[in-house]
């Protein structure tokens, strides 16, 4: 954050001086009232001290508003780019009698069917009910690569403002104008629909309580000071009150919450409420789908096991030959593995006849011009084709199956003689880095549960390889709901991802439900977050951002309360030094005069808000650790730092203000 950024948001901060806005932050509203009172006092009895105190009290309010204005400014910049994607377009509406009519996009209603052709913009949120098309969603997600949207399944949702690049689709509108996904997203990132979260409300109550305590203390201090023969000016008492109440966290509290949601937007996640962001920080159980989240989603060839008497090179080259006509992801992965193990880049197939893989034959291969035939397929299919499978190969098949993998047998025939060459081991490949990420979650105290439709044997093998804590095999929607309720009954907060209509009940039941943007409208409506990139592993980042939000709020609250200590040593001795000279022993900073001491504390109180704005917006760095370790670090860094920093800051400011005539 630069000085230019602060200056750009200064007009917005000045507009927030309206008391109708400030009353929502009781701490800063008290400072505003104090500023008004000191202004009246300075006008009635002008002096350099009175006007300087007044100016810095007003700056305290402005700086507090500036923190919120900068945080909102980031959201407005994001909203501006989103608003550019929201265009007024016409739509080709399909009527019940089968005819078509062209209407403005704003006239569409929920349930309308519209036809969108290549080159046209989708006029509103909806689900594809007919056809398949390539869609450019870069205006929403920022990703330039187009995505496929098709009728049926879990990738049917389209968003208004995106552009169809190919083919034609029929879309059923699911959101009314003004209530579309893009409209809600703009309102949220601008902060227009942001509400205080339960933790914010609780902290606000604490800050108000502390403020009331200090107001009562300062009010009762005046008659006590008069009785002790050390009468105090109202100006000084107001300065004391402003320095003692928790103005720092009071000014930054709103900015911290806005910045937390902004950080999610920056990683292309839209939180439907601040409550969801906070809940992510307290999550103790993560439910993750296996396919596409933990694994790549398609089985891949992991190793080639030659049969007895067959060399590795023979097995490798035969596996590649037999897979050239297999265009499935599994077939392509066998070719890639063979090339990675040193197979020649080119292979002679002149005059060859390729046999494509089919679900009926469960085999693929090639018949070479030399009379040699090579096949790859399921063990039973190869046995039927070639007349049997050797015992050593059958043992390999059983070993691969027992580990949760899929075995494919490779064989060749020459002059009617069949020779089984070996076995290809297919398995769900765990994504790179997942083991480390799950280990990090474990250090954060979060339990991970893999959800899959696989049988328990396969699920157990993948869970062990990925490093998850537990798994739910052969899971149905009811099983997911049962698991979520079971975790919640144990006092744990649960997060999960989903993209299908069958995931909607579980997404709604979870404390943090992250719906994929590519999924159905039902899933996006049920979740309280939407991942615009449709990357299920983003859930791990969401948890980190949630924890960072909570830690930042706790750290700055600790700092705000701790830095009042130095102000006691600056103001209290200065107020009563004339009546009680012995209080000079408490002037540990050796401040020049009572007036410079009070003014230095007020100036520091204002400047520390500006100094902490970057930290409030960026967030305190989060590292996986136990709650006790995080608390200890907060106390050592922000508690001790909050005590020490004001002593240094107030002393440096005093060296400057003590040179001002009428104050020093």
């Amino acid at each position: 954050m630069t000085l230019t950024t602060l200056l750009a948001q200064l007009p917005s901060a000045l507009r927030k001086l309206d008391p109708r806005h400030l009353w929502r932050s009781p701490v800063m509203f008290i400072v505003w009232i104090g500023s008004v009172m000191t202004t009246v006092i300075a006008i009635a009895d002008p002096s350099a001290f009175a006007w300087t105190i007044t100016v810095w009290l007003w700056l305290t309010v402005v700086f507090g508003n500036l923190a919120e204005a900068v945080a909102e400014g980031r959201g407005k910049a994001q909203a501006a780019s989103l608003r550019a994607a929201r265009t007024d377009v016409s739509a080709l509406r399909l009527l019940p009698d089968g005819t078509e009519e062209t209407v403005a996009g704003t006239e569409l209603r929920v349930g309308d069917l519209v036809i969108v052709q290549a080159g046209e913009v989708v006029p509103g949120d909806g689900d594809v009910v007919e056809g398949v098309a390539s869609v450019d969603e870069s205006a929403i997600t920022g990703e330039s690569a187009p995505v496929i949207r098709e009728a049926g399944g879990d990738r049917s949702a389209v968003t208004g403002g995106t552009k169809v690049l190919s083919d034609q689709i029929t879309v059923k509108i699911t959101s009314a104008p003004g209530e579309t996904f893009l409209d809600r997203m703009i309102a949220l990132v601008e902060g227009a629909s942001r509400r205080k979260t339960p933790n914010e409300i609780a902290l606000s109550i604490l800050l108000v309580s502390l403020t009331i305590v200090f107001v009562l203390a300062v009010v009762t201090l005046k008659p006590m000071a008069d009785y002790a023969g050390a009468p105090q000016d109202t100006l000084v008492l107001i300065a004391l009150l402003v320095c003692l109440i928790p103005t720092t966290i009071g000014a930054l509290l709103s900015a911290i919450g806005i910045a937390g949601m902004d950080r999610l937007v920056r990683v292309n996640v839209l939180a439907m409420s601040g409550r969801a962001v906070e809940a992510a920080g307290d999550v103790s159980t993560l439910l993750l789908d296996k396919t596409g989240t933990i694994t790549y989603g398609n089985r891949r060839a992991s190793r080639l096991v030659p049969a007895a008497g067959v060399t590795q090179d023979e097995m490798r080259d035969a596996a590649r030959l037999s897979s050239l006509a297999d265009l499935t992801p599994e077939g392509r992965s066998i070719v890639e593995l063979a090339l990675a193990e040193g197979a020649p880049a080119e292979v002679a197939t002149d005059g060859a006849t390729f046999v494509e893989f089919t679900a009926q034959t469960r085999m693929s291969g090639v018949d070479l011009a030399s009379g040699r035939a090579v096949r790859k397929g399921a063990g039973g299919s190869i046995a039927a084709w070639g007349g049997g499978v050797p015992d050593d190969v059958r043992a390999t098949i059983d070993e691969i199956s027992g580990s949760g993998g899929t075995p494919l047998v490779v064989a060749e025939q020459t002059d009617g003689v069949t020779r089984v060459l070996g076995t290809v081991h297919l398995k769900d490949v765990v994504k790179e880095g997942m083991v480390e990420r799950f280990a990090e979650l474990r250090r954060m105290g979060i339990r991970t549960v893999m959800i899959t439709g696989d049988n328990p044997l396969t699920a157990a093998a993948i869970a062990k390889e990925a490093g998850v804590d537990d798994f739910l095999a052969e899971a149905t929607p009811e099983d997911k709901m049962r698991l979520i309720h079971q975790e919640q009954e144990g006092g744990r907060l649960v997060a999960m991802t989903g993209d299908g209509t069958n995931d909607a009940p579980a997404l709604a039941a979870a404390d943090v439900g992250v719906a994929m943007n590519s999924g159905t409208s039902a899933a996006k409506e049920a979740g309280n977050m939407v991942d615009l990139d449709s990357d299920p592993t983003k859930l791990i980042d969401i948890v980190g951002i949630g924890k960072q939000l909570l830690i930042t709020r706790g750290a700055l609250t600790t700092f705000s309360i701790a830095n009042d200590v130095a102000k006691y040593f600056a103001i209290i001795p200065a107020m009563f030094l004339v009546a009680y000279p012995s209080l000079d022993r408490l002037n540990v900073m050796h401040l020049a005069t009572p007036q410079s001491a009070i003014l230095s504390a007020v100036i520091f109180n204002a400047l520390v808000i500006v100094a902490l704005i970057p930290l409030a917006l960026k967030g305190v760095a989060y590292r996986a650790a136990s709650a006790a370790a995080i608390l200890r670090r907060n106390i050592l860094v922000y508690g001790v730092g909050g005590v020490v920093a004001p002593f240094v800051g107030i002393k440096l400011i005093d060296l400057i203000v003590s040179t001002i005539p009428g104050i020093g």
Side-chain angles (χ1 to χ4, degrees):
M1 188 184 68
T2 63
L3 180 60
T4 304
T5 304
L6 292 175
L7 293 176
Q9 297 301 328
L10 189 58
S12 178
L14 293 174
R15 286 193 295 270
K16 291 178 180 291
L17 289 174
D18 186 338
R20 291 172 296 181
H21 170 81
L22 283 170
W23 76 266
R24 289 178 290 182
S25 176
V27 176
M28 298 311 297
F29 187 59
I30 291 294
V31 180
W32 180 86
I33 293 174
S35 302
V36 172
M37 293 177 65
T38 56
T39 302
V40 173
I41 293 171
I43 293 173
D45 186 13
S47 67
F49 178 69
W51 276 113
T52 308
I53 287 287
T54 299
V55 168
W56 279 101
L57 288 185
W58 279 113
L59 286 176
T60 301
V61 184
V62 172
F63 292 160
N65 292 339
L66 189 61
E68 184 178 24
V70 172
E72 289 178 349
R74 289 186 172 188
K76 289 176 180 177
Q78 178 78 14
S81 63
L82 292 172
R83 193 173 280 108
R86 187 178 60 184
T87 56
D88 293 328
V89 297
S90 60
L92 189 62
R93 182 163 57 187
L94 189 63
L95 299 177
D97 60 3
T99 59
E100 302 169 357
E101 66 172 352
T102 301
V103 298
T106 54
E107 295 181 22
L108 294 175
R109 295 294 178 264
V110 176
D112 284 349
L113 295 177
V114 296
I115 298 174
V116 189
Q117 300 176 347
E120 295 180 347
V121 174
V122 179
D125 294 356
D127 289 325
V128 179
V129 295
E130 183 179 331
V132 57
S134 175
V135 180
D136 177 10
E137 295 186 341
S138 59
I140 306 298
T141 66
E143 294 293 332
S144 57
V147 295
I148 300 299
R149 294 290 176 260
E150 57 187 339
D154 295 336
R155 295 187 176 271
S156 60
V158 288
T159 305
T162 58
K163 186 176 183 180
V164 174
L165 299 179
S166 68
D167 303 294
Q168 173 181 300
I169 52 176
T170 301
V171 178
K172 183 177 182 180
I173 299 298
T174 57
S175 296
E179 300 175 3
T180 65
F181 178 75
L182 201 56
D183 290 316
R184 285 183 293 155
M185 188 172 180
I186 291 171
L188 283 163
V189 298
E190 282 185 327
S193 61
R194 181 181 176 273
R195 298 175 181 175
K196 285 189 175 182
T197 63
N199 282 350
E200 269 187 283
I201 293 172
L203 183 55
S204 296
I205 292 173
L206 173 63
L207 297 182
V208 170
S209 301
L210 289 174
T211 301
I212 292 173
V213 169
F214 284 121
V215 167
L216 294 176
V218 171
V219 168
T220 56
L221 187 62
K222 182 171 179 55
M224 293 173 61
D226 292 342
Y227 179 78
Q232 299 298 320
D233 292 338
T234 303
L235 186 74
V236 173
L237 292 173
I238 293 173
L240 173 64
L241 175 63
V242 170
C243 288
L244 295 186
I245 62 178
T247 51
T248 306
I249 186 61
L252 299 175
L253 185 58
S254 179
I256 294 170
I258 295 172
M261 297 185 71
D262 178 66
R263 281 193 291 275
L264 277 178
V265 172
R266 288 174 182 273
V267 296
N268 266 4
V269 175
L270 173 63
M272 298 303 182
S273 69
R275 183 191 297 265
V277 185
E278 283 192 355
D282 285 329
V283 159
S284 53
T285 302
L286 284 185
L287 308 184
L288 302 104
D289 279 333
K290 181 206 73 174
T291 305
T293 304
I294 297 174
T295 67
Y296 282 101
N298 293 308
R299 294 171 301 171
R300 293 188 175 191
S302 61
R303 61 180 177 131
L304 305 173
V305 185
V310 179
T311 66
Q312 186 71 38
D313 289 350
E314 282 184 289
M315 171 59 186
R316 177 199 67 199
D317 294 342
R320 179 192 177 191
L321 267 174
S322 64
S323 301
L324 291 176
D326 186 355
L327 301 181
T328 64
E330 292 85 354
R332 291 196 297 269
S333 74
I334 294 173
V335 175
E336 292 171 1
L337 179 61
L339 291 172
E341 292 193 357
E346 300 293 335
V347 59
T349 56
D350 294 338
T353 302
F354 289 101
V355 179
E356 296 184 5
F357 174 86
T358 66
Q360 290 74 30
T361 64
R362 300 176 66 194
M363 286 195 306
S364 67
V366 61
D367 295 331
L368 300 174
S370 63
R372 180 190 178 205
V374 185
R375 295 289 186 274
K376 171 217 69 193
S381 300
I382 293 295
W385 177 73
V389 174
D391 291 342
D392 65 303
V393 174
R394 192 163 297 282
T396 303
I397 291 174
D398 293 340
E399 180 261 322
I400 293 173
S401 300
S403 68
T406 301
L408 295 178
V409 178
V410 179
E412 66 176 5
Q413 274 187 0
T414 306
D415 299 328
V417 179
T418 302
R419 182 185 179 210
V420 176
L421 301 176
T423 312
V424 179
H425 184 177
L426 294 180
K427 69 172 186 175
D428 276 335
V429 178
V430 175
K431 292 181 177 179
E432 292 85 358
M434 293 305 294
V435 174
E436 292 76 15
R437 301 195 82 175
F438 288 136
E440 181 181 355
L441 287 169
R442 199 170 293 111
R443 289 193 297 272
M444 294 162 59
I446 297 175
R447 176 171 169 264
T448 52
V449 181
M450 181 185 77
I451 299 177
T452 176
D454 290 336
N455 62 70
L457 191 64
T458 302
I462 296 173
K464 181 178 180 181
E465 183 180 354
V468 296
D469 299 312
D470 201 355
F471 65 89
L472 179 65
E474 299 177 342
T476 64
E478 292 77 16
D479 293 331
K480 296 178 186 178
M481 288 287 290
R482 193 178 303 112
L483 178 60
I484 290 173
H485 291 318
Q486 179 182 329
E487 293 291 320
Q488 290 172 333
E489 286 169 3
R492 292 177 286 272
L493 294 187
V494 180
M496 77 160 290
T497 62
D499 57 4
T501 301
N502 64 335
D503 291 324
L507 287 170
D511 299 285
V512 180
V514 183
M516 301 296 101
N517 188 44
S518 61
T520 62
S521 297
K524 289 195 283 187
E525 289 293 332
N528 49 27
M529 290 188 185
V530 176
D531 177 13
L532 302 180
D533 294 330
S534 300
D535 175 10
T537 61
K538 192 77 68 67
L539 188 58
I540 300 173
D541 299 319
I542 292 171
V543 170
I545 291 174
K547 286 188 175 295
Q548 186 182 34
L549 170 66
L550 296 178
I551 290 171
T552 301
R553 187 182 294 152
L556 293 183
T557 300
T558 303
F559 184 92
S560 177
I561 295 174
N563 71 14
D564 283 342
V565 174
K567 300 170 192 174
Y568 302 149
F569 284 92
I571 298 180
I572 300 298
M575 291 174 62
F576 296 96
L577 188 60
V578 176
Y580 302 99
S582 59
L583 286 177
D584 189 54
R585 296 175 183 175
L586 295 178
N587 185 16
V588 295
M589 290 176 279
H590 301 290
L591 304 178
T593 66
Q595 286 187 321
S596 71
I598 294 170
L599 182 56
S600 298
V602 171
I603 294 174
F604 176 84
N605 193 64
L607 293 180
V608 75
I609 296 173
V610 180
L612 291 175
I613 289 177
L615 183 60
L617 299 182
K618 183 180 180 182
V620 175
Y622 172 71
R623 292 188 295 273
S626 65
I630 293 173
L631 177 61
R632 186 164 53 249
R633 187 185 71 179
N634 264 10
I635 292 175
L636 289 175
V637 176
Y638 298 98
V640 175
V643 172
V644 174
F647 279 95
V648 178
I650 291 174
K651 177 59 180 177
L652 292 176
I653 294 171
D654 179 73
L655 293 175
I656 298 173
V657 301
S658 61
T659 62
I660 300 175
I663 296 175

